[in-house]
Amino acid sequence: MASPCSAMAYHHDSRRIFVGQDNGAIMEFHVSEDFNKMNFIKTYPAHQNRVSAIIFSLAAEWVVSTGHDKCVSWMCTRSGNMLGRHFFTSWASCLQYDFDTQYAFVGDYSGQITLLKLEQNTCSVITTLKGHEGSVACLWWDPIQRLLFSGASDNSIIMWDIGGRKGRTLLLQGHHDRVQSLCYLQLTRQLVSCSSDGGIAVWNMDVSREEHHCRKCGQAVCGKCSSKRSSYPVMGFEFQVRVCDSCYDSIKDEDRTSLATFHEGKHNISHMSMDVARGLMVTCGTDRVVKIWDMTPVVGCSLATGFSPH
């Protein structure tokens, strides 16, 4: 490679790999049927700086990407030509894409998520989602329920109801560090999240949760007005948060029952990927360790194997 690699996308059916680099270019390769050889196809001049995320659409023959040049670009994989670009005010850090509608979700370092409708040679901004107090590190789009999940450096996760057009609907707080990766399991209605300190959380999303200051009734309560704190998982607060005196007295023990399970990855997780069919999760980290987790059942995470390169 001409430059250090920064992002990658693999399309299983066509065996095509797209590798983003620090110099802003994306290189495409085709993997042989026996997986013993890769053939170079072409280079896409997608960005002027590090590529942060890549998605390939076989139906449209587009490669969509984000980069630290503060833009999202989409290029034609047949011709290799640039189709369009859209610029943001800060680094574009993560990307999700709805293949049916050609909507792109772009998270950036300012904490915003921009929803774009991509066309052949142009795009339009549908809306901007604001809720995080730190840079958005990861996104996950569920096209069935039309829910978008975002994780950020403010250690929180937000579930956005895109299909219902309600905007921010649920804040999940259970991590102690930057949320690096997300994966929503449609079959079991569970959300798996990983943070940079090695924390792994499995959230039960198949419960009726209360939407979002007293974190229960919604009143603004400062430290002078109330010293009471309590966890309130039904609203996403797995940690203890400030609540007003009357709400504190009304919270029952069963209301404090956790709606998530937490596991210790014991390494600094930077990326996570799930193989739902086989019930496996792979994590890799800045400690140069790759771990494979047995996620069957998902609520009983147990380390299957782990290895560190020489």
Side-chain angles (χ1 to χ4, degrees):
M1 306 295 288
S3 180
C5 303
S6 56
M8 184 174 71
Y10 174 63
H11 190 264
H12 181 270
D13 293 340
S14 63
R15 302 194 307 278
R16 294 160 77 174
I17 290 181
F18 299 84
V19 183
Q21 302 169 83
D22 276 359
N23 63 6
I26 297 174
M27 296 182 72
E28 179 186 352
F29 300 88
H30 183 260
V31 182
S32 63
E33 195 169 352
D34 61 4
F35 288 90
N36 282 321
K37 185 179 180 181
M38 280 200 323
N39 294 313
F40 169 72
I41 304 298
K42 62 169 67 79
T43 298
Y44 302 89
H47 298 275
Q48 300 298 315
N49 207 326
R50 169 182 286 191
V51 180
S52 57
I54 306 170
I55 288 178
F56 169 59
S57 170
L58 180 64
E61 282 289 349
W62 288 359
V63 57
V64 186
S65 59
T66 54
H68 286 187
D69 55 356
K70 303 179 181 180
C71 87
V72 57
S73 72
W74 54 108
M75 303 189 68
C76 176
T77 53
R78 293 191 184 95
S79 64
N81 294 332
M82 177 70 70
L83 296 175
R85 275 196 181 114
H86 179 81
F87 286 88
F88 307 95
T89 57
S90 59
W91 285 356
S93 52
C94 48
L95 171 70
Q96 285 286 278
Y97 181 75
D98 186 78
F99 293 92
D100 292 334
T101 62
Q102 296 182 335
Y103 283 0
F105 304 89
V106 181
D108 64 37
Y109 271 70
S110 74
Q112 295 186 169
I113 302 165
T114 304
L115 171 55
L116 300 161
K117 167 66 173 176
L118 304 186
E119 305 285 359
Q120 190 66 26
N121 293 296
T122 185
C123 74
S124 54
V125 176
I126 305 301
T127 189
T128 301
L129 305 175
K130 300 177 182 180
H132 284 293
E133 296 178 359
S135 59
V136 182
C138 53
L139 295 171
W140 184 274
W141 169 243
D142 175 45
I144 306 299
Q145 289 188 275
R146 307 198 70 75
L147 297 173
L148 179 71
F149 298 90
S150 59
S153 61
D154 59 7
N155 309 347
S156 71
I157 300 164
I158 296 178
M159 183 190 79
W160 311 86
D161 184 1
I162 304 299
R165 298 181 181 179
K166 295 180 181 178
R168 172 177 165 176
T169 58
L170 184 63
L171 175 68
L172 301 174
Q173 293 183 327
H175 284 286
H176 297 278
D177 210 337
R178 177 188 179 95
V179 181
Q180 293 284 80
S181 295
L182 295 167
C183 179
Y184 179 67
L185 308 178
Q186 173 62 234
L187 189 63
T188 58
R189 300 290 179 91
Q190 291 170 302
L191 177 70
V192 181
S193 59
C194 298
S195 55
S196 57
D197 62 353
I200 300 170
V202 182
W203 306 83
N204 181 7
M205 305 304 292
D206 195 25
V207 293
S208 179
R209 292 181 180 267
E210 295 181 18
E211 298 184 11
H212 307 276
H213 14 8
C214 167
R215 295 301 195 269
K216 184 177 184 294
C217 69
Q219 293 186 89
V221 180
C222 67
K224 294 180 180 179
C225 297
S226 177
S227 61
K228 300 295 177 58
R229 300 177 71 85
S230 174
S231 61
Y232 199 57
V234 73
M235 200 174 275
F237 300 113
E238 296 288 339
F239 294 149
Q240 289 196 345
V241 291
R242 183 180 294 120
V243 294
C244 65
D245 291 342
S246 59
C247 280
Y248 182 84
D249 295 334
S250 70
I251 296 175
K252 303 174 184 177
D253 288 342
E254 53 265 33
D255 294 332
R256 296 185 175 92
T257 302
S258 179
L259 294 176
T261 58
F262 297 91
H263 314 270
E264 189 53 56
K266 297 183 179 178
H267 77 134
N268 302 324
I269 298 174
S270 55
H271 296 284
M272 173 266 286
S273 183
M274 292 282 296
D275 184 339
V276 179
R278 292 193 292 171
L280 297 176
M281 179 178 75
V282 179
T283 59
C284 62
T286 55
D287 51 3
R288 297 183 294 173
V289 172
V290 174
K291 292 186 178 183
I292 304 173
W293 300 79
D294 179 9
M295 299 292 283
T296 53
V298 175
V299 293
C301 289
S302 60
L303 183 62
T305 184
F307 64 91
S308 176
H310 295 291

